[in-house]
Amino acid sequence: MCKCQPYLPKVQAGVPSDVTAIPKETAQSKDMEVLRSMPLFSSLSQETFDKLADSVRFDRYVKGDTIVRQGEKAQWVIVVLEGYIKLTRTAANGEETLIHIFGRGETIAESVAVLGDNHTTTAEATGPTRIVRMPAHVVAQAARDAPELALAILSESSAKIWALMDEIEALKAQTADQRVLRFLLSLCPPNATNVEARLPYTKGVIAASLGLKQETLSRSFARLKIVGVEIDGRKVLVQDARVLEQEIERLNRFV
Amino acid sequence: MCKCQPYLPKVQAGVPSDVTAIPKETAQSKDMEVLRSMPLFSSLSQETFDKLADSVRFDRYVKGDTIVRQGEKAQWVIVVLEGYIKLTRTAANGEETLIHIFGRGETIAESVAVLGDNHTTTAEATGPTRIVRMPAHVVAQAARDAPELALAILSESSAKIWALMDEIEALKAQTADQRVLRFLLSLCPPNATNVEARLPYTKGVIAASLGLKQETLSRSFARLKIVGVEIDGRKVLVQDARVLEQEIERLNRFV
DNA sequence: CGGCTAGTTGACTTCATTCAACGCTGGTGG
DNA sequence: CCACCAGCGTTGAATGAAGTCAACTAGCCG
């Protein structure tokens, strides 16, 4: 993917495309409930939650918008309300590597913001996205005052560590087809049959998230037709999730 | 690497090989200072440190000993004093994948222990190793009482996240030789010349940590002779660290 | 309409793995 | 003391999985 191009973000990092698109109050009252139910907030006392809630800001982005930039000081803790955000790292030569993708309810930069460090990755919207952001210093202070918040943040970080370890395991021990199968399984309810799902982001992004080239993903999808996977644009049909699991197993025998 | 073998650890997890090998007091008094200076403890108040120090236990392991086992409940927070510990994941089919290696000063299971979760990886000594362990419930309580400890643990977790992201970036974006070069660079002081170093663990373990087979690592070492790298057993000679950096860059041009 | 971007497909290349044989070293037991 | 073996590492030849390059299609937006 396009190397060495000068870095020209479409909007300045942290400046949303159209903050004012929806009336603030209506959005907030409903979103506040959603927020309260999210992992980072659900274990907090009402008091701690209110303290944070006072300073939250809702933003909305479109595909390609940069939300935080690698190297910048972390000013905000961000929670995804809707859409998907990809974390990437840009090496000295301009090569961009996708590290991880975050979806609804997941938190970005929570530890780095609380500790006052710099971002080590860039975060970019993969499509229309809504987030909520809280000033780092507010969260940091609240974490000092309320151990429950510090533990909730720790819990988020811990979950992130597991997710990254999963990714490393997949990259080291699984073939392209196995990773694609795992990804497809993540779109299906367990043991379901005749699942109809939608790809959450473009195939290019899916490929990068699985450590593949787009062409390889395309070929993989084609191969997986024989195990009951049909891809049509963004639409996915899986005949039987258990067959996919068996196929992952089967492919292991040959490795 | 040997798949599907029945899992027969040499010692029971958590039971050290020879706890009593050295007199406890002498070991402790010296080690306590070391401990105090380590990242997890250095920012703590004396009071908090003392609370933890009361319940620490020193252990020593030999190569192959299992220290924590995947799936078990986390009972201890572990800090490495000496040696290297490899974290692995064992898949359903028995395939073992090396996820990460921890060295001196690094902490294992800190978040998982504080949160009361189960280990998601197995930890095994790669050679003679000394650790210190603290009961999970003591640390968890202390973290609730003293926000500085919670933040110190968060800081450790955050560092771990960076390290894992580095690993993912390397696996996705770099070739075998580039990863090997990076590893060699990590053994050298920055910009140094005529470095003489020692491989920290066996080549088999190095290979696994870089996501390579042992044979591939061996070939890579052979190729890297032309950029001034000489490997003789565990001894490493690097003529010029900057040349290694340039070589990583150079290899990028062809990718 | 032309010009994008996203995705597919084919032919070819290359990097890493696999399989197998072999070398070295250190320990153990006859 | 030597013979043998196990563990660790190296090397060669063959294989295969994924990447590269390039041509092409389909949909979309101005």
Side-chain angles (χ1 to χ4, degrees):
Chain A
M1 284 161 221
C2 54
K3 313 168 186 177
C4 304
Q5 67 179 6
Y7 189 50
L8 296 168
K10 291 183 189 146
V11 297
Q12 220 192 322
V15 179
S17 303
D18 56 348
V19 181
T20 55
I22 43 169
K24 228 183 174 183
E25 317 73 42
T26 61
Q28 281 194 10
S29 59
K30 186 172 165 146
D31 285 334
M32 280 323 233
E33 283 175 45
V34 176
L35 217 57
R36 187 66 169 118
S37 70
M38 280 177 169
L40 184 63
F41 301 96
S42 57
S43 66
L44 302 185
S45 70
Q46 191 60 40
E47 193 197 340
T48 309
F49 179 72
D50 290 342
K51 210 184 297 179
L52 294 176
D54 276 349
S55 64
V56 302
R57 205 179 107 186
F58 293 87
D59 285 341
R60 161 186 293 263
Y61 293 93
V62 299
K63 176 167 186 168
D65 287 352
T66 302
I67 298 164
V68 307
R69 178 109 25 101
Q70 183 174 346
E72 275 178 2
K73 181 144 196 253
Q75 313 261 26
W76 308 91
V77 174
I78 288 163
V79 182
V80 183
L81 291 176
E82 232 173 73
Y84 296 90
I85 293 176
K86 62 174 187 178
L87 282 197
T88 60
R89 279 227 189 149
T90 307
N93 61 8
E95 180 99 25
E96 200 183 71
T97 310
L98 199 161
I99 304 289
H100 194 70
I101 293 185
F102 291 101
R104 182 189 161 80
E106 294 188 287
T107 315
I108 292 169
E110 74 287 3
S111 59
V112 101
V114 169
L115 301 168
D117 292 324
N118 288 347
H119 294 294
T120 55
T121 52
T122 294
E124 186 182 303
T126 65
T129 302
R130 289 198 316 121
I131 64 160
V132 63
R133 62 170 81 222
M134 297 165 285
H137 67 269
V138 172
V139 181
Q141 189 53 53
R144 257 168 264 268
D145 296 342
E148 355 129 33
L149 177 59
L151 292 179
I153 292 171
L154 182 59
S155 173
E156 282 293 302
S157 295
S158 188
K160 224 158 267 188
I161 289 174
W162 301 341
L164 294 174
M165 285 181 170
D166 273 350
E167 228 171 305
I168 290 174
E169 188 185 9
L171 287 170
K172 282 187 176 175
Q174 300 197 299
T175 64
D177 284 358
Q178 287 177 309
R179 281 175 279 171
V180 173
L181 284 165
R182 257 173 75 139
F183 171 75
L184 290 172
L185 271 174
S186 76
L187 303 176
C188 303
N191 297 324
T193 56
N194 282 318
V195 187
E196 185 172 337
R198 235 183 90 77
L199 297 178
Y201 20 86
T202 65
K203 292 181 190 175
V205 174
I206 295 171
S209 79
L210 299 174
L212 300 173
K213 296 294 156 193
Q214 180 153 308
E215 297 94 315
T216 310
L217 177 66
S218 187
R219 287 184 233 277
S220 178
F221 277 153
R223 278 192 296 269
L224 295 179
K225 274 182 189 150
I226 54 166
V227 288
V229 172
E230 204 178 306
I231 313 275
D232 176 23
R234 284 246 180 144
K235 207 176 69 185
V236 187
L237 291 169
V238 174
Q239 273 175 29
D240 189 343
R242 283 159 303 183
V243 174
L244 301 197
E245 286 178 34
Q246 285 163 25
E247 182 65 7
I248 294 179
E249 267 309 302
R250 199 184 66 80
L251 291 170
N252 257 329
R253 298 188 198 290
F254 300 115
V255 174
Chain B
M1 285 158 219
C2 53
K3 313 168 185 175
C4 304
Q5 65 178 4
Y7 189 51
L8 295 170
K10 289 183 190 148
V11 297
Q12 219 191 324
V15 179
S17 303
D18 56 347
V19 181
T20 55
I22 44 167
K24 227 182 176 184
E25 316 73 42
T26 60
Q28 280 193 10
S29 59
K30 187 173 162 139
D31 286 334
M32 280 323 232
E33 283 175 45
V34 177
L35 217 55
R36 189 65 169 117
S37 70
M38 281 177 169
L40 185 63
F41 302 95
S42 57
S43 64
L44 303 184
S45 70
Q46 191 60 40
E47 192 197 340
T48 309
F49 179 74
D50 290 342
K51 211 185 294 178
L52 293 176
D54 277 349
S55 63
V56 302
R57 206 180 105 187
F58 293 85
D59 285 342
R60 160 185 293 264
Y61 293 93
V62 298
K63 176 168 186 163
D65 287 351
T66 302
I67 297 163
V68 307
R69 179 107 25 101
Q70 182 174 346
E72 275 178 0
K73 182 142 196 258
Q75 314 260 25
W76 309 91
V77 174
I78 289 163
V79 183
V80 183
L81 290 176
E82 230 173 75
Y84 295 90
I85 293 176
K86 62 173 186 179
L87 282 197
T88 59
R89 280 230 189 147
T90 307
N93 62 8
E95 180 98 25
E96 200 182 73
T97 311
L98 198 161
I99 304 289
H100 195 70
I101 293 184
F102 291 101
R104 181 188 161 81
E106 293 188 289
T107 315
I108 292 170
E110 74 286 5
S111 60
V112 103
V114 169
L115 301 168
D117 293 323
N118 289 346
H119 294 295
T120 54
T121 52
T122 294
E124 187 182 302
T126 65
T129 301
R130 289 197 317 120
I131 64 159
V132 63
R133 62 169 79 223
M134 297 165 285
H137 67 270
V138 172
V139 181
Q141 189 53 52
R144 256 168 265 268
D145 297 341
E148 355 130 29
L149 177 59
L151 292 179
I153 292 172
L154 181 59
S155 173
E156 282 294 300
S157 296
S158 187
K160 225 159 267 188
I161 289 174
W162 301 341
L164 293 174
M165 285 181 170
D166 273 350
E167 228 171 304
I168 290 174
E169 188 184 8
L171 287 170
K172 282 187 175 174
Q174 300 196 299
T175 65
D177 283 357
Q178 286 176 311
R179 281 175 281 176
V180 173
L181 284 165
R182 258 173 74 138
F183 170 76
L184 290 172
L185 271 175
S186 76
L187 303 176
C188 303
N191 298 323
T193 57
N194 283 317
V195 187
E196 185 171 338
R198 236 182 90 77
L199 297 178
Y201 21 86
T202 65
K203 292 183 188 176
V205 173
I206 295 171
S209 79
L210 299 175
L212 300 173
K213 298 295 155 191
Q214 179 152 311
E215 297 94 317
T216 309
L217 177 66
S218 187
R219 287 184 232 277
S220 179
F221 277 153
R223 276 192 297 270
L224 296 179
K225 273 181 190 152
I226 55 164
V227 287
V229 173
E230 203 177 307
I231 312 275
D232 175 22
R234 283 249 180 142
K235 207 177 69 185
V236 187
L237 292 169
V238 174
Q239 273 175 29
D240 189 342
R242 284 158 303 183
V243 174
L244 302 197
E245 285 177 34
Q246 284 163 25
E247 180 65 7
I248 294 180
E249 267 309 301
R250 199 184 66 80
L251 291 171
N252 257 329
R253 299 188 197 289
F254 300 118
V255 174

